[in-house]
Amino acid sequence: MAFLTTLQNKTTRRDRDPSPQTPSFRGVDTNPADHTHQTAHGKRCRPSRRHRRNCSIYVRFLAIECNSNPAAGYNSGMGGNLLRTQFRQFARFAVRHPTVAGFGLLIAATLLLHLGWGWSTARTLASQNAAIAAVGLPVGPGDLTIADVPPDDDAWPLIRKAVSLDNRMSPSNSNFSYPQSPPFGPAWEQSASASETANAGVFAIAREMRTRSRIKIRDAWPSPLINAAFTSYTNARQIANTVGDGALLLHVRGNDREAVERLLDLMHLADLVQQDETLVGQLVATGLGAMACARVMVVAPELAVEDAEVRRNVSLLIDQLLGESPKSVHFRNAFAFERVFGIDFYNLIAKDVKMLRPLAEQEMARHNARQEVIRQAALARTAPAAMRILQQIPEPPKKVDPALARTMGQVVRPEDLPRYSRWFAPSYDVSLRQVFVQHFRSLAERRMTAIALAIRLYRVDNAGRWPARLDELTPKYLPAIPADPFHEDGRQVGYVVLKGGLPNGGDRPLLFVDAGDVIDGAIDAEPMIGWQQDPKGRDPRVEVRQYRDLARWAPQVRRIDKIMQDEAAEELRK
């Protein structure tokens, strides 16, 4: 600023004395042509670099002023020329100090890119959130609501009370292995009898739960959601084991009235947990439902449905098994929560990293896009339709160390290599395809269990005869034959009778769903009740067609007997 003031004073003096003269500094005549000046002693000498630069700048300003409109004053055209001059100065500085100048330019370009990138990702995320809100889905934790449940209809306090009373003495709560179908053996009956005596209060509370139709696990959804989303369901599984083993024990003792009541208690507990619309809640409820179905499949072949009360409760159990609408609704709503959970998770880990905020918002946009595909898949009614929709989502990359993998001779795919631009890649995600597989497995189990109960009613009414076709069960025992959820064409659950397939020469009736490959050896030489694994033990694991036995029988030698003998010997050695 002092230099410009001096420049203006010199220009003012020149305007008062219009005679042409050569500009000078400090009384020294300067020749701008060769950048030399003449001193008071008459000698011409070469000035310093700084002196020459100041002289050059002054001459340029003087030329600007002389060419400008005198009436406009000193400021005419000055702004643009100052900018050009500063640019030239920076250019000279850059030539003399290229490293410093390059670093400065890099910082400036990075900041500019960051601003533009942040604006673009924020705009994309805002557009997605507006579309999500338009269809009535929650956008953030503040949009999550918990319905108010009257205390006299809330089963959650009863579940917690039952947990406090359960002593975990039932066979399924132990670390020992037992047969999954009768005869269970003396060790199982001893453990189940002890549980029956000690857990009388648990059975009473489980019955009381059936008078309550809802649960309220939490009062609110505080952020971060990760602190409140994972409720411990181990206790609910503990109660289910106790009640399920109690049902089997009473059936073995011939008390089918109470056995079926406890099976209804067990199914109701699974349906209660299903109301927790988180992914963890859905997976736990699926496991509880599978446990209930396995217990029903064990007792169904010999249930004393001649008793009118038992028959009425069996019909109620069939209706509960086929009531899939609430289960499907809770399953879909769980993914709406998972979308909000993911957004809240990214906000949490990006909270203290302001410069990387665009990276987090970019991953949020990807998360929203993935969740929309998942929402569409959750609407599918069959497993193939859901899997076809999920193919739009690429498989998450495997976390591998390239150097270690190559050392071990493994093939490293390009998509498995670390991507340092994905700092906020979802580390909490589970295998989505496996979640959907579990969901459709649960539907298949419930449908086959309902058919097994209907066949038991049919056989009692038809002198023990097996139906030739499942269509004989409708409409008296079933409203319609359930479809195989692993086919899109609506075909029924499969049914086959193996003539002379039992060890005693009797017929072996089986239900089946096409959950996987049809291979030799899929029909086991032992009763098939729970989910069957690939008998060939292929790696990676391959799903196979699932069969379920409808008749009660036992081979002369069981694999579980050898396992139990080994466990007993180990206990003796200890």
Side-chain angles (χ1 to χ4, degrees), residues 154-378:
D154 186 5
W156 187 246
L158 293 179
I159 294 175
R160 300 180 63 181
K161 183 178 179 181
V163 168
S164 66
L165 296 176
D166 196 328
N167 65 358
R168 305 181 185 181
M169 295 179 63
S170 68
S172 297
N173 282 323
S174 70
N175 294 324
F176 295 101
S177 301
Y178 296 104
Q180 60 178 349
S181 61
F184 294 112
W188 183 93
E189 292 188 12
Q190 180 180 359
S191 176
S193 297
S195 174
E196 182 72 18
T197 303
N199 291 316
V202 175
F203 297 124
I205 294 174
R207 186 66 43 81
E208 186 181 355
M209 288 181 199
R210 280 167 54 192
T211 65
R212 305 191 181 189
S213 60
R214 302 167 68 186
I215 60 170
K216 186 179 181 181
I217 298 177
R218 56 190 68 83
D219 296 323
W221 283 112
S223 182
L225 296 175
I226 196 170
N227 293 334
F230 302 110
T231 301
S232 174
Y233 290 103
T234 304
N235 298 333
R237 186 173 183 86
Q238 172 187 324
I239 298 172
N241 285 331
T242 299
V243 174
D245 288 345
L248 294 180
L249 177 66
L250 293 178
H251 172 68
V252 170
R253 291 178 175 179
N255 186 359
D256 279 347
R257 282 192 177 186
E258 182 61 21
V260 175
E261 291 281 2
R262 291 191 182 179
L263 293 174
L264 286 169
D265 297 341
L266 185 54
M267 284 301 306
H268 187 69
L269 175 61
D271 290 344
L272 285 173
V273 175
Q274 195 95 47
Q275 296 179 23
D276 182 24
E277 294 177 343
T278 65
L279 206 54
V280 174
Q282 299 307 298
L283 292 173
V284 172
T286 297
L288 296 180
M291 181 193 305
C293 288
R295 302 298 195 275
V296 175
M297 291 295 292
V298 170
V299 305
E302 302 294 337
L303 270 178
V305 294
E306 298 87 354
D307 186 308
E309 184 177 346
V310 174
R311 190 181 187 98
R312 181 175 59 254
N313 283 337
V314 166
S315 297
L316 290 176
L317 193 53
I318 291 174
D319 293 339
Q320 190 169 2
L321 287 165
L322 297 180
E324 299 174 359
S325 180
K327 174 180 174 62
S328 298
V329 171
H330 295 316
F331 181 71
R332 291 195 295 268
N333 291 344
F335 287 108
F337 170 81
E338 286 301 309
R339 194 202 67 79
V340 177
F341 179 86
I343 295 298
D344 188 67
F345 177 78
Y346 293 129
N347 280 321
L348 174 66
I349 60 179
K351 179 176 62 175
D352 299 325
V353 195
K354 300 298 184 183
M355 287 297 294
L356 298 180
R357 178 71 187 182
L359 271 176
E361 291 183 343
Q362 191 174 46
E363 192 58 45
M364 291 180 201
R366 296 191 188 102
H367 176 73
N368 281 339
R370 288 194 300 266
Q371 291 297 319
E372 176 58 24
V373 175
I374 295 169
R375 188 177 74 88
Q376 296 297 327

Side-chain angles (χ1 to χ4, degrees), residues 492-543:
Q492 299 175 353
V493 170
Y495 173 66
V496 62
V497 179
L498 302 180
K499 297 298 183 180
L502 295 180
N504 62 3
D507 295 340
R508 184 181 182 183
L510 297 163
L511 296 173
F512 64 87
V513 292
D514 287 325
D517 293 349
V518 180
I519 61 174
D520 294 336
I523 298 179
D524 199 355
E526 295 192 12
M528 304 173 71
I529 296 174
W531 197 263
Q532 305 297 309
Q533 303 299 325
D534 179 13
K536 296 183 178 180
R538 287 170 287 183
D539 187 23
R541 189 176 67 182
V542 177
E543 297 294 344

Side-chain angles (χ1 to χ4, degrees), residues 31-39 43-49 51-52:
N31 183 0
D34 58 359
H35 296 286
T36 61
H37 60 267
Q38 184 174 358
T39 64
K43 297 181 179 179
R44 301 193 70 84
C45 64
R46 188 80 174 176
S48 66
R49 177 182 296 177
H51 194 162
R52 294 199 305 271

